[in-house]
Amino acid sequence: MLNVISNVPFLVIGIIGLILCHYGNYFKLSLQGEVWGWTFFYIGVAAVGFGSSYYHLQPNDARLVWDRLPMTVAFTSLVAIFIMERIDEQKGTASIIPLLLAGIISILYWRFFDDLRPYAVVQFVPCIALPLMAILLPPMYTHSTYWLWAAAFYLLAKILEAEDKPVYELTHHVVSGHTLKHLSAAVVPVFLTLMLAKRTIETERVSLFMVWRSSWTKVRKDEIRVQSSEYHVVSNQE
C-alpha cells in the first residue's frame, strides 16, 4: 500500500507546477517553447501519480505501461527544454513532439515486442546527458546547480530501487526501497520547480565547469601564496 500512497507527491507537485506555469506566468518563461516543454513535463509528473498508483494496486505488464508512460513524457520533455536552453531555441521547440513520440513508441515497442532496449535508451540517456549538459554548456538562466541536485536525487532513487529488499529488511519490514524510491524521485520536480521560481536571465553565460575551474584555480593560487608567505617568514627568522 505504501508503494501506492508514496505516489501522491508526484500528483501534488505536478498540479502545482502546471498552475505556476500558466497562472500569471509565475515562472516568467520567456520562450513559447519553454511553456510547452514545462507543461508537458508537469503533465508527465502529475500523471505518474495516477499511473504508478494504478500499477502498484495490481502489478502486471498491462498496467506497467501506465507506470512507465508518464515518466517517459517527463524525461523527453526535459531533453527538449535543455536543447532550448543550452543549444538552440528553435531546435529545442521543434524537438518536443518528436521526442515525446519517440518515448511513446519505445513504450509500445516494449509492450508488443517484449524488448526494453528502446525504452532503456529513452530513460537512461537523459540521465547521463542532462547532468553533463548542465555542467559543460553555458546556461541561459541562473541557479543551474538545481539541475545537479535533481539529478542526484534521481540517482538516489535508482539506488533505492535496486536495493529494494535490503532496505525493506533494514527498516524491519516497515518501508521498502521501492517506496523510498518514489519519495526520492518526487524530490526531482521539487528542485526543478524551485529553480524555475528563483532563476533569472543569466547575463554572463558561463558553464558550471568553467565556474568550478576558475574557483579551483583561485583556491590553488591562494594556497601557493600562503605557502610562499610562510616560507619567507621562516627564511627571515633564520
Side-chain angles (χ1 to χ4, degrees):
M1 185 55 67
L2 287 178
N3 282 344
V4 175
I5 297 173
S6 57
N7 285 293
V8 172
F10 289 105
L11 177 61
V12 173
I13 191 62
I15 292 174
I16 290 173
L18 279 172
I19 293 172
L20 295 180
C21 268
H22 295 277
Y23 183 74
N25 193 18
Y26 180 82
F27 289 147
K28 297 181 177 63
L29 301 174
S30 58
L31 309 175
Q32 186 59 41
E34 286 185 304
V35 176
W36 283 107
W38 285 110
T39 296
F40 279 118
F41 171 73
Y42 282 114
I43 287 174
V45 171
V48 167
F50 288 108
S52 185
S53 296
Y54 177 66
Y55 165 70
H56 285 96
L57 283 170
Q58 188 178 333
N60 57 55
D61 282 352
R63 292 191 174 211
L64 186 55
V65 170
W66 302 106
D67 180 29
R68 288 176 170 170
L69 184 59
M71 291 188 289
T72 302
V73 170
F75 273 122
T76 51
S77 299
L78 287 182
V79 174
I81 289 166
F82 248 88
I83 294 173
M84 272 181 260
E85 289 189 9
R86 309 288 174 130
I87 299 176
D88 183 83
E89 172 192 344
Q90 293 182 343
K91 291 178 181 178
T93 302
S95 71
I96 294 175
I97 299 303
L99 285 170
L100 288 171
L101 288 175
I104 294 170
I105 290 170
S106 74
I107 296 291
L108 295 175
Y109 187 85
W110 156 72
R111 185 70 181 95
F112 288 106
F113 297 100
D114 195 26
D115 187 348
L116 268 175
R117 287 176 296 179
Y119 172 74
V121 170
V122 169
Q123 184 180 26
F124 290 108
V125 167
C127 296
I128 299 172
L130 296 187
L132 286 176
M133 291 170 71
I135 293 171
L136 298 175
L137 299 182
M140 180 186 295
Y141 300 100
T142 60
H143 293 81
S144 282
T145 51
Y146 279 71
W147 285 107
L148 301 185
W149 281 108
F153 271 91
Y154 185 76
L155 176 60
L156 175 60
K158 300 307 291 184
I159 293 172
L160 290 168
E161 182 180 34
E163 299 299 320
D164 180 43
K165 290 183 179 179
V167 171
Y168 191 55
E169 293 174 359
L170 188 65
T171 59
H172 301 286
H173 299 175
V174 174
V175 61
S176 69
H178 199 88
T179 296
L180 295 179
K181 173 239 182 177
H182 288 167
L183 297 176
S184 180
V187 176
V188 173
V190 171
F191 268 109
L192 296 182
T193 302
L194 290 173
M195 177 191 72
L196 290 173
K198 292 184 176 185
R199 73 183 190 177
T200 57
I201 297 291
E202 182 64 81
T203 54
E204 297 182 7
R205 297 188 64 172
V206 181
S207 69
L208 284 174
F209 175 75
M210 294 305 296
V211 171
W212 294 343
R213 183 178 179 181
S214 177
S215 299
W216 173 249
T217 302
K218 184 177 182 299
V219 169
R220 290 297 300 155
K221 286 182 178 179
D222 290 343
E223 288 179 352
I224 292 172
R225 189 179 299 112
V226 170
Q227 291 173 357
S228 178
S229 299
E230 291 175 348
Y231 171 78
H232 286 300
V233 169
V234 172
S235 297
N236 290 336
Q237 288 176 348
E238 292 177 351

